[in-house]
Amino acid sequence: MKRNIVIAAVTAAALIGGGTATALATTGDDQGSARQAATTQLSNDDVRDDDGDRDDAEKTVSADVTASEAIASALKHTSGTVVSAELDDEDDGGKVVWTVDVLSGDNTWHSVSVDPANGKVLGSHTDDEDDTAQVRAALKGSSVTAEEAAKAAAGKGVVTSVDLDDDGKNKSWEAETRKSGGAEQDWKIDLASGKVTADRADAQDDDADDADDQD
């Protein structure tokens, strides 16, 4: 009786969760059946997670509107200085959009959402930021805009984000690129010359993380 109850419960869970309860009825061990069901469900969840990562990578690479085009579209809607642009899920809702942060002349921050399929502005809202003075100081004397930095980095792959690094002495634009298949890399773009170089600090951090994982 207990075994039948376990089989019924596992079968129902499989139907709801998309898993499978094949061959569970052949075991007479109640605990073994439950463990097998849990293992099957976890395996299915892992597969779905991997598929989701691959889907995100494909969405990113297949975006029709580039980072520089998204920035240009955002500036037509809201004038000012673009400080960052990122291709990401909107509020984790699954819809991928360009989010462009614009600092206007009156020091108001605007977050502008741009459709990656056609470049249309989907909406915007104001944000409260406390690093306005720091950003202004970092960009003082700069001759390379975020749009130009995105164009420069585009030669390395599909640009998924460009952001101002205003910390430390070596201030620069930072860009992330992704190639078909999902490989990501970070780059630095000089604020004065527009020269693109690999982000060595990021690469070193990745190597350190890999070493920790092996330990």
Side-chain angles (χ1 to χ4, degrees):
M1 179 62 71
K2 289 183 179 180
R3 182 171 64 87
N4 291 336
I5 292 174
V6 170
I7 293 172
V10 170
T11 302
L15 291 173
I16 296 172
T20 178
T22 304
L24 287 181
T26 63
T27 176
D29 183 355
D30 295 348
Q31 294 180 350
S33 297
R35 284 195 297 270
Q36 184 175 350
T39 301
T40 301
Q41 187 62 41
L42 287 173
S43 298
N44 290 338
D45 288 343
D46 291 341
V47 170
R48 284 193 290 270
D49 289 342
D50 291 341
D51 289 342
D53 291 340
R54 285 193 291 270
D55 289 344
D56 289 343
E58 291 304 319
K59 287 179 182 178
T60 298
V61 173
S62 63
D64 294 327
V65 176
T66 66
S68 58
E69 291 170 342
I71 290 172
S73 180
L75 286 175
K76 288 180 180 179
H77 180 272
T78 304
S79 61
T81 301
V82 171
V83 180
S84 70
E86 182 178 12
L87 186 63
D88 202 0
D89 289 353
E90 186 177 34
D91 298 329
D92 296 327
K95 182 178 180 180
V96 178
V97 299
W98 281 107
T99 300
V100 183
D101 291 333
V102 182
L103 177 58
S104 64
D106 61 356
N107 290 334
T108 300
W109 287 87
H110 303 266
S111 181
V112 184
S113 297
V114 179
D115 193 321
N118 53 33
K120 292 183 179 180
V121 172
L122 301 174
S124 67
H125 63 270
T126 58
D127 284 332
D128 293 327
E129 301 288 348
D130 57 4
D131 60 345
T132 301
Q134 186 174 345
V135 168
R136 293 287 191 197
L139 290 175
K140 186 177 181 179
S142 170
S143 57
V144 178
T145 65
E147 183 178 356
E148 292 168 339
K151 289 180 179 179
K156 305 297 183 180
V158 177
V159 177
T160 57
S161 70
V162 58
D163 186 40
L164 177 66
D165 179 10
D166 55 5
D167 293 327
K169 293 182 178 179
N170 299 322
K171 298 174 177 57
S172 65
W173 291 108
E174 290 184 333
E176 182 180 89
T177 62
R178 189 192 295 268
K179 293 185 177 181
S180 181
E184 295 180 353
Q185 190 166 355
D186 292 319
W187 307 89
K188 286 186 175 294
I189 300 92
D190 191 274
L191 290 173
S193 67
K195 182 179 179 181
V196 181
T197 56
D199 190 343
R200 302 300 181 188
D202 182 77
Q204 292 173 357
D205 290 341
D206 289 343
D207 291 341
D209 291 341
D210 291 341
D212 292 339
D213 292 339
Q214 291 177 359
D215 292 341

